[in-house]
Amino acid sequence: MIRALLICAGLVLAAASAAAQAPVAPEPAPPAAPAAPKTWSSMSPQQQQLLKSYQGKWESLPPERQQALANGSQRWLSMSPEQRSSAQQRFTQWRAMPPDQRQQLRQRWQQYKSLPPEQQQRVRESFNRFRQMPPERRMELRKQWRQMSPEQRRRVIQRPAPPRPPPPRPPPPPRRWGR
């Protein structure tokens, strides 16, 4: 469990785990069709309101940018107030990061996306377990990770995951005697 949490902490806390993993060759993606331009009038009034600062220059934006903005505005409109608040907070944190740190996180995201689905699931599970820990325990794990040498980190990451215990079986149905 600590191994999985350390892996998670390494990914989440911008540790040097990216260099430690052997590169995983992603499957070649089929060539993407170029994005079709999105017209301003094809968006809902709510999307137009959200993107009003782009209205005058919309036609000059590349189609990929238009599509990304339209998709993002639609996603924003589908969020609950709590989700919007959380997204706004994350965006503010992102904007406050130095450019090199943002680039590092982009690279880690690409590495994560290139992992097989089973490994992505393990990373997500580890991350969720890490987030559910008491703050003191998370701090302790972060400290342990920072104190490890790159070689120690590499060994922790490359160690096979311990086998998980099977899920508990339901109790057998009660036996009826005499009939």
Side-chain angles (χ1 to χ4, degrees):
M1 175 160 152
I2 288 181
R3 181 194 147 277
L5 294 173
L6 288 175
I7 290 172
C8 175
L11 290 171
V12 173
L13 301 173
S17 65
Q21 283 189 327
V24 176
E27 292 183 27
K38 181 105 174 140
T39 63
W40 183 260
S41 60
S42 70
M43 292 188 294
S44 72
Q46 294 88 357
Q47 285 178 293
Q48 290 177 2
Q49 179 62 31
L50 275 175
L51 300 172
K52 65 183 171 194
S53 63
Y54 291 96
Q55 185 174 7
K57 54 187 173 187
W58 186 259
E59 299 304 321
S60 65
L61 293 174
E64 297 80 21
R65 182 74 175 137
Q66 291 175 348
Q67 195 63 49
L69 288 166
N71 291 345
S73 65
Q74 189 58 48
R75 210 170 33 248
W76 180 264
L77 291 169
S78 68
M79 291 181 186
S80 69
E82 296 82 23
Q83 290 170 320
R84 286 181 185 181
S85 175
S86 178
Q88 216 161 20
Q89 187 177 26
R90 287 190 311 271
F91 182 69
T92 301
Q93 289 172 336
W94 175 261
R95 298 288 295 189
M97 283 182 196
D100 58 323
Q101 190 177 0
R102 281 193 242 165
Q103 184 58 34
Q104 197 175 33
L105 287 174
R106 282 186 195 102
Q107 289 170 344
R108 287 212 173 87
W109 177 249
Q110 289 305 316
Q111 285 178 324
Y112 169 78
K113 294 304 281 180
S114 72
L115 293 174
E118 317 79 60
Q119 285 182 326
Q120 287 184 15
Q121 181 63 31
R122 280 195 310 193
V123 169
R124 280 192 302 273
E125 288 169 359
S126 295
F127 177 71
N128 288 332
R129 280 195 307 271
F130 182 80
R131 282 182 28 184
Q132 292 171 358
M133 289 181 177
E136 304 80 35
R137 180 71 178 130
R138 289 191 308 228
M139 295 280 286
E140 181 182 323
L141 286 173
R142 286 182 182 119
K143 184 179 177 185
Q144 287 176 7
W145 183 261
R146 283 189 215 112
Q147 291 174 346
M148 287 181 179
S149 69
E151 181 56 36
Q152 289 171 318
R153 291 176 184 174
R154 206 175 345 272
R155 281 193 305 250
V156 167
I157 290 169
Q158 291 176 344
R159 223 179 311 167
R164 291 189 178 172
R169 289 186 180 173
R175 292 188 177 191
R176 293 187 177 185
W177 300 97
R179 283 193 181 179

